[in-house]
Amino acid sequence: MKKVLAMILAGGKGERLYPLTRDRAKPAVPFGGTYRIIDFTLSNCVNSNLRKIYVLTQYKSLSLDRHIQKSWSFLNNRVGEYVYLTHAQQRINENWYKGTADAIYQNFYTIQEEKPDLVLILSGDHIYRMDYRELIDSHLRNNADLTVSTIEFDKNHSKEFGVIETNNKNRITGFQEKPARPKTIEGKPESILVNMGIYLFNTDILIKRLIENAKKTDTNHDFGKNVIPAMLKTDKIYSYSFSGRNRTNYWRDVGTIEAYYEANMDLLKNTESDSLLNSNWPNYTAEEQAPPARITGRKSRDNIQYGTVVNSIISRGCDLDNSAVKDSILSPHVTAGEYSTIESSILLDNIKIGKECSIKNAIIDKGAVIPDGTVIGYDNKKDAGLYTISESGIVVIPKNTEF
Amino acid sequence: MAKETILIVDDEKNILDLYDQELQDEGYSTFLAQNGKECLEIIKNEALDLIVLDIRMPKMDGLEAIGNIIDINNKIPIIINSAYSNYKDDFMSWAADAYVVKSYNLDELKKTIKEVLQKKKSSV
């Protein structure tokens, strides 16, 4: 069996997720009630039996550090399983990471100590479920130097992604970075093959190409933009298609408030949530003792039945007293008082909502205390003066806001 | 034609003197440094064509120096010249253009210097 080391890039600033990333790195942003974004990638590793994992961080990593320690220390060091966090070591030179490739280059010594046959490079801010063993099998079958995981998307999305061209044997023949006029898949004129940012390298090739990249000046030190396109001439690069076969092909990069909101709401759709919230492929996260969620009361007023929850995720420790929740995701320990309504919203941990509040189309970060009678998400003009509002009108309230 | 300039980095004074003499005899001009730190200072201030780099040195060893050399100037070729061959397993040594195991007979080193400088010229 080949020895595989997983390296998860978790260093992005996540500026387009602001203010959720005001105090934490993007992979540490809570997701889907009880998880953090990075739990999905880490769970994929563990469920794929890859249990040597490094998480590469740099900015605002305290929250991520704490989460990994609390939630991922169950891996057994004695039998060579671990999740380690590595910060910019400044061992190769004195810089912060200049790009994804530079982040791995700066962590050469880690790879050297582990001596893996293959290095799997992953991103800490994607929501998906994937068995990396199939990717590894495909890589070995093709006798590849590098395998890039790809997914089919509608060609209208081409400006958001790296687009990949392949020949009929899945060998990659070209790259386009966020093209306006993408090369579509042969026989599928409406579809493109998108680079998911998941790279499986033979270790020696990875090291050689990273050194070459480090010696260049006209480069962003990025895998998708620089290192991999430069390998086309010299190395065997194959595409592993995540779409098709018998696989659920849900994959989202939750880089913006809109994408984050949509991906959360996808958990309320049966088809998507089956693939993501599935006890055969468990997502691991912090285990915390808390009472079960409680929904009490049965009053009605103005044609609204309170004490109800419709189409929502309610996490442990929530206590909803005579309130109405619809199409929403509540993290642990959210409480709400009488005659409050919560609709189409994402509420993170430890939020206290008073009585007679109306909340709609909102993302409320941890620890907010919302006084009786507060109205959020019904009047964008008014909200704009007070809170961050995303392009599509989602109101975002930062951590620990007190009104 | 101007003389090509080589920086020799080695912590042993008698090796520095020997290399200095031999390479000057070959028609190169030379700079000398006794550890990685001194080496970086010279790279920042002088125009060099090549670096001959020992690995085991005090203050900053050769492998540690390589990453920093690339960061300051990624155009100068590097030849590792160590008494030991096992550093070839160290990934950072792969960043050098050549690896010559130390010997008091300098023929191989001189030959490699010529090749690396030739390659550098032809790639410009």
Side-chain angles (χ1 to χ4, degrees):
Chain A
M1 214 174 75
K2 295 282 181 186
K3 189 171 165 190
V4 185
L5 181 69
M7 300 187 95
I8 302 177
L9 300 166
K13 279 186 178 162
E15 278 162 349
R16 290 175 303 157
L17 263 183
Y18 192 86
L20 299 178
T21 48
R22 192 187 64 184
D23 305 313
R24 50 171 98 86
K26 190 164 136 187
V29 172
F31 187 91
T34 53
Y35 305 105
R36 305 279 185 146
I37 292 172
I38 198 171
D39 288 333
F40 289 81
T41 301
L42 284 169
S43 297
N44 284 338
C45 287
V46 168
N47 290 329
S48 302
N49 223 357
L50 300 179
R51 297 180 181 191
K52 295 177 190 299
I53 306 164
Y54 280 87
V55 178
L56 278 50
T57 66
Q58 55 182 349
Y59 304 107
K60 298 178 185 170
S61 58
L62 179 64
S63 169
L64 187 60
D65 270 27
R66 255 192 325 229
H67 173 68
I68 303 270
Q69 282 206 10
K70 243 165 75 179
S71 315
W72 289 89
S73 50
F74 65 87
L75 290 183
N76 193 342
N77 247 298
R78 285 193 195 179
V79 292
E81 304 175 348
Y82 51 77
V83 178
Y84 289 144
L85 278 152
T86 86
H87 307 275
Q89 305 269 317
Q90 305 195 322
R91 193 163 162 186
I92 307 274
N93 57 45
E94 291 172 356
N95 299 313
W96 292 89
Y97 301 146
K98 286 178 259 183
T100 52
D102 190 49
I104 303 290
Y105 171 70
Q106 299 278 1
N107 283 283
F108 261 19
Y109 285 98
T110 307
I111 304 175
Q112 187 161 308
E113 274 169 27
E114 298 298 335
K115 296 188 176 60
D117 302 303
L118 305 170
V119 180
L120 177 62
I121 295 163
L122 301 165
S123 170
D125 43 26
H126 295 164
I127 302 293
Y128 65 117
R129 168 191 161 186
M130 182 169 174
D131 191 337
Y132 300 130
R133 287 171 295 197
E134 294 183 27
L135 167 68
I136 294 165
D137 285 348
S138 156
H139 180 84
L140 297 176
R141 262 199 318 275
N142 288 328
N143 197 17
D145 294 315
L146 160 65
T147 301
V148 180
S149 186
T150 59
I151 185 166
E152 287 181 23
F153 267 34
D154 188 282
K155 72 172 178 189
N156 293 331
H157 290 288
S158 68
K159 282 185 189 167
E160 303 157 39
F161 298 105
V163 174
I164 280 173
E165 301 158 51
T166 59
N167 70 13
N168 58 7
K169 292 197 171 73
N170 293 322
R171 180 142 178 194
I172 295 179
T173 54
F175 286 90
Q176 296 173 287
E177 187 60 23
K178 300 180 180 168
R181 287 191 196 150
K183 295 256 170 68
T184 55
I185 300 171
E186 212 182 310
K188 292 184 183 171
E190 297 305 314
S191 301
I192 51 172
L193 214 48
V194 161
N195 177 358
M196 296 167 71
I198 297 172
Y199 309 115
L200 181 65
F201 274 94
N202 291 349
T203 305
D204 56 337
I205 294 285
L206 172 68
I207 301 302
K208 283 178 191 157
R209 301 304 170 240
L210 285 179
I211 288 174
E212 284 168 13
N213 177 260
K215 289 185 173 183
K216 285 181 186 166
T217 34
D218 52 341
T219 171
N220 300 316
H221 304 284
D222 183 271
F223 277 110
K225 285 183 210 152
N226 315 110
V227 176
I228 297 173
M231 290 170 64
L232 275 174
K233 280 184 205 151
T234 47
D235 302 298
K236 284 179 286 181
I237 316 178
Y238 281 84
S239 154
Y240 166 78
S241 178
F242 185 56
S243 307
R245 300 189 216 186
N246 209 3
R247 210 171 286 120
T248 54
N249 51 20
Y250 187 86
W251 174 79
R252 294 288 184 279
D253 179 345
V254 285
T256 62
I257 291 290
E258 267 73 23
Y260 172 80
Y261 180 86
E262 290 302 326
N264 267 282
M265 290 305 164
D266 283 342
L267 296 175
L268 301 176
K269 298 174 189 160
N270 279 332
T271 44
E272 269 79 352
S273 59
D274 278 355
S275 71
L276 290 173
L277 306 180
N278 181 324
S279 47
N280 291 327
W281 193 268
N283 289 314
Y284 299 92
T285 191
E287 274 200 359
E288 216 176 89
Q289 287 303 317
R294 187 170 70 153
I295 293 108
T296 54
R298 57 180 68 189
K299 294 180 186 169
S300 63
R301 195 172 81 177
D302 300 333
N303 290 325
I304 298 174
Q305 176 67 52
Y306 292 93
T308 55
V309 172
V310 178
N311 194 45
S312 296
I313 289 173
I314 310 292
S315 306
R316 60 185 177 245
C318 285
D319 198 348
L320 309 170
D321 177 26
N322 248 314
S323 40
V325 179
K326 199 175 132 192
D327 302 326
S328 294
I329 295 177
L330 274 54
S331 287
H333 303 290
V334 173
T335 63
E338 274 199 327
Y339 302 117
S340 283
T341 61
I342 299 161
E343 193 180 335
S344 305
S345 293
I346 299 166
L347 273 49
L348 305 185
D349 310 51
N350 298 313
I351 293 171
K352 288 188 174 55
I353 297 169
K355 294 175 183 172
E356 301 188 322
C357 294
S358 302
I359 296 164
K360 197 167 115 178
N361 298 331
I363 300 172
I364 306 182
D365 204 340
K366 289 185 176 189
V369 179
I370 297 173
D372 296 351
T374 306
V375 177
I376 295 167
Y378 286 82
D379 181 347
N380 260 351
K381 266 189 197 155
K382 198 181 127 215
D383 289 339
L386 300 168
Y387 320 114
T388 305
I389 298 200
S390 77
E391 278 172 33
S392 66
I394 300 159
V395 182
V396 190
I397 297 180
K399 198 174 164 183
N400 296 332
T401 299
E402 286 192 41
F403 288 75
Chain B
M1 208 181 99
K3 282 184 179 179
E4 286 162 310
T5 307
I6 298 176
L7 169 62
I8 309 159
V9 192
D10 202 300
D11 61 323
E12 281 182 59
K13 186 77 174 63
N14 48 4
I15 289 193
L16 275 183
D17 290 343
L18 171 72
Y19 283 23
D20 187 25
Q21 196 56 55
E22 295 261 344
L23 294 180
Q24 286 198 36
D25 288 350
E26 293 287 308
Y28 302 112
S29 71
T30 54
F31 283 97
L32 308 177
Q34 282 193 294
N35 59 58
K37 285 220 158 113
E38 284 180 26
C39 154
L40 296 182
E41 283 310 308
I42 295 172
I43 292 165
K44 281 178 198 159
N45 298 316
E46 307 293 342
L48 302 169
D49 294 296
L50 182 86
I51 301 167
V52 175
L53 186 63
D54 185 22
I55 291 184
R56 281 203 194 170
M57 293 180 290
K59 290 190 185 170
M60 182 190 278
D61 75 26
L63 292 170
E64 206 184 340
I66 289 183
N68 290 293
I69 293 171
I70 293 172
D71 197 45
I72 297 167
N73 184 334
N74 54 26
K75 298 283 182 272
I76 312 172
I78 300 166
I79 297 174
I80 289 179
N81 188 226
S82 168
Y84 308 91
S85 63
N86 55 338
Y87 292 112
K88 285 178 185 170
D89 295 337
D90 193 299
F91 290 153
M92 216 54 230
S93 78
W94 300 12
D97 297 75
Y99 192 118
V100 178
V101 178
K102 246 181 219 176
S103 146
Y104 278 94
N105 179 346
L106 296 189
D107 289 351
E108 198 198 337
L109 180 64
K110 287 176 190 167
K111 188 171 140 247
T112 310
I113 288 172
K114 260 194 198 129
E115 283 169 4
V116 171
L117 285 172
Q118 196 58 44
K119 209 171 134 199
K120 184 193 170 207
K121 268 186 224 152
S122 59
S123 70
V124 171

